[in-house]
Amino acid sequence: MSATSTDPTGAESAGTGGNDTYGHKPFKRSRSHFPDRITADGRDGWPVEPGRYRLAVSRACPWASRALVSRRLLGLEDALSLAVADPIQDDRSWRFTLDPDGRDPVLGIRHLSEAYDARERDYPGGVSVPAIVDVPSGQLVTNDYQQITLDLATEWAALHRPGAPDLYPEPLRAEIDEVMEGIYRDINNGVYQCGFASSQQEYEEAYAALFARLDQVSARLADRRYLVGDTITEADIRLFTTLVRFDPVYHGHFKCNRNKLTEDPVLWAYARDLYQTPGFGDTVDFDHIKRHYYQVHTGINPTGIVPAGPDLSGWTTPHHREQLGGRPFGDGTPPGPVPEGERVTPPDAV
């Protein structure tokens, strides 16, 4: 998600996920401007090192939420520190007003744009999350929201916690990639295509593709606990971060209203199963999600009123998906407790 006061999404280029362009043209998500990778061998000049980098996120953004889930599941909290931005941006981008004195305590900056400027001043793009910043130099390393989590799962393996799951198992990568491609195009990005459609035809085409894919995924999950294989993978993480926002935001705000998530028995149970799995729900902040979308997207919601609903208490009710078998962490173990300072507001308090 990037950030500019005129960007309807608030997390892309002032939007909500990756880099997006809005206005009266068809919705288009642009490619990341800084695709550098942090790798075990440092081939892009950025070697994996514990404590060297800082992950900047907004808990409102589904793309940043992928990184939050991956970081928790893999136990990278000590190796990769976390900067959490205010869900509401100002003209200069994502801001660190949640921290004392309005500055990130590690990077010493008020706005994420300062890390972008340190890397390339006045580059032609939005200030997006997730972003990884090099702490010693204060420079942005990457905002490649598609690649960051894949690298956390593979290139950062030497720093994974004991018992960390394999989120991108090599024998299943071709199938995972295929499943993720359809989910990205029609669901992750599809809700935005609905919400920011500039014509009735454009909206209806995106709407049809979104629900056709949701129906396909629901059928796939009817007799299997996870999308690919019998453990949680990157594919589940990417689907979850859209599903968890569906009823609070996308159903009404983005006009994705054929049905609610809670009205699809399979997807609702699947989403609750993941939400209740350590590493998923303990990274979700519904307050940040709702305030960001409804207060930042003034083109869609000019009053800035944040709806009181929906009722979120159902997220912690029994899902019974364990009856399908599956091993959430494979041969591994659940992550440990949420680090102090990273705990989120429970849904019954929103």
Side-chain angles (χ1 to χ4, degrees):
M1 294 173 100
S2 57
T4 74
S5 59
T6 58
D7 184 346
T9 57
E12 283 80 49
S13 220
T16 307
N19 294 311
D20 303 346
T21 54
Y22 311 94
H24 298 295
K25 299 178 181 178
F27 174 85
K28 181 180 179 182
R29 190 177 302 282
S30 61
R31 299 178 66 181
S32 298
H33 187 73
F34 299 99
D36 289 10
R37 295 175 60 189
I38 301 170
T39 59
D41 63 7
R43 56 186 177 273
D44 281 359
W46 307 104
V48 171
E49 295 179 16
R52 175 172 175 177
Y53 305 101
R54 190 155 174 85
L55 174 64
V57 303
S58 163
R59 292 192 185 275
C61 172
W63 321 91
S65 290
R66 296 176 182 178
L68 284 168
V69 173
S70 296
R71 175 176 171 270
R72 278 278 292 136
L73 293 176
L74 299 171
L76 290 171
E77 292 99 326
D78 291 336
L80 178 62
S81 64
L82 184 65
V84 179
D86 189 314
I88 309 301
Q89 301 127 318
D90 65 19
D91 291 347
R92 292 192 55 193
S93 80
W94 295 104
R95 54 189 186 170
F96 296 109
T97 56
L98 303 179
D99 296 303
D101 301 321
R103 291 184 183 274
D104 178 81
V106 173
L107 299 173
I109 58 177
R110 294 187 181 277
H111 294 84
L112 185 56
S113 58
E114 295 173 56
Y116 277 70
D117 287 343
R119 173 70 183 274
E120 180 183 328
R121 183 165 292 278
D122 299 324
Y123 84 98
V127 176
S128 65
V129 290
I132 298 183
V133 179
D134 177 49
V135 174
S137 67
Q139 293 185 6
L140 175 79
V141 176
T142 180
N143 67 344
D144 190 341
Y145 60 98
Q146 296 284 48
Q147 189 63 44
I148 285 173
T149 49
L150 296 179
D151 284 342
L152 292 181
T154 55
E155 298 292 335
W156 290 67
L159 299 180
H160 289 178
R161 65 179 175 85
D166 187 350
L167 299 177
Y168 196 45
E170 195 160 359
L172 298 177
R173 286 181 188 177
E175 184 178 0
I176 291 171
D177 289 346
E178 180 181 4
V179 170
M180 291 194 305
E181 195 280 330
I183 288 172
Y184 169 77
R185 183 184 63 245
D186 299 327
I187 299 177
N188 300 148
N189 208 40
V191 293
Y192 283 90
Q193 291 174 324
C194 289
F196 293 104
S198 57
S199 71
Q200 189 69 34
Q201 179 180 351
E202 183 187 338
Y203 162 72
E204 291 181 1
E205 289 175 354
Y207 178 98
L210 166 66
F211 283 101
R213 183 68 63 178
L214 285 170
D215 288 345
Q216 181 188 81
V217 171
S218 182
R220 181 184 183 94
L221 289 167
D223 59 359
R224 59 194 301 166
R225 191 170 181 186
Y226 304 111
L227 283 168
V228 182
D230 67 348
T231 66
I232 291 166
T233 68
E234 173 80 8
D236 297 294
I237 296 172
R238 295 191 182 197
L239 179 58
F240 172 79
T241 58
T242 295
L243 293 183
V244 80
R245 288 162 173 78
F246 202 88
D247 287 6
V249 175
Y250 303 143
H251 178 270
H253 187 58
F254 278 179
K255 307 179 185 71
C256 302
N257 60 357
R258 190 195 73 178
N259 59 267
K260 296 177 180 178
L261 175 66
T262 54
E263 294 168 347
D264 184 309
V266 172
L267 290 181
W268 175 222
Y270 166 80
R272 293 190 339 262
D273 186 6
L274 291 178
Y275 182 88
Q276 294 170 35
T277 299
F280 282 84
D282 53 28
T283 68
V284 175
D285 192 318
F286 285 110
D287 174 64
H288 281 208
I289 290 168
K290 289 171 62 176
R291 286 197 291 123
H292 170 78
Y293 281 89
Y294 285 102
Q295 292 185 312
V296 171
H297 302 176
T298 54
I300 297 176
N301 187 39
T303 65
I305 295 172
V306 179
D311 180 5
L312 301 171
S313 61
W315 281 100
T316 55
T317 60
H319 53 77
H320 306 298
R321 293 279 295 179
E322 67 278 356
Q323 297 173 8
L324 295 173
R327 303 173 301 145
F329 304 101
D331 295 328
T333 58
V338 178
E340 191 67 32
E342 294 188 16
R343 293 173 188 160
V344 297
T345 305
D348 57 3
V350 176

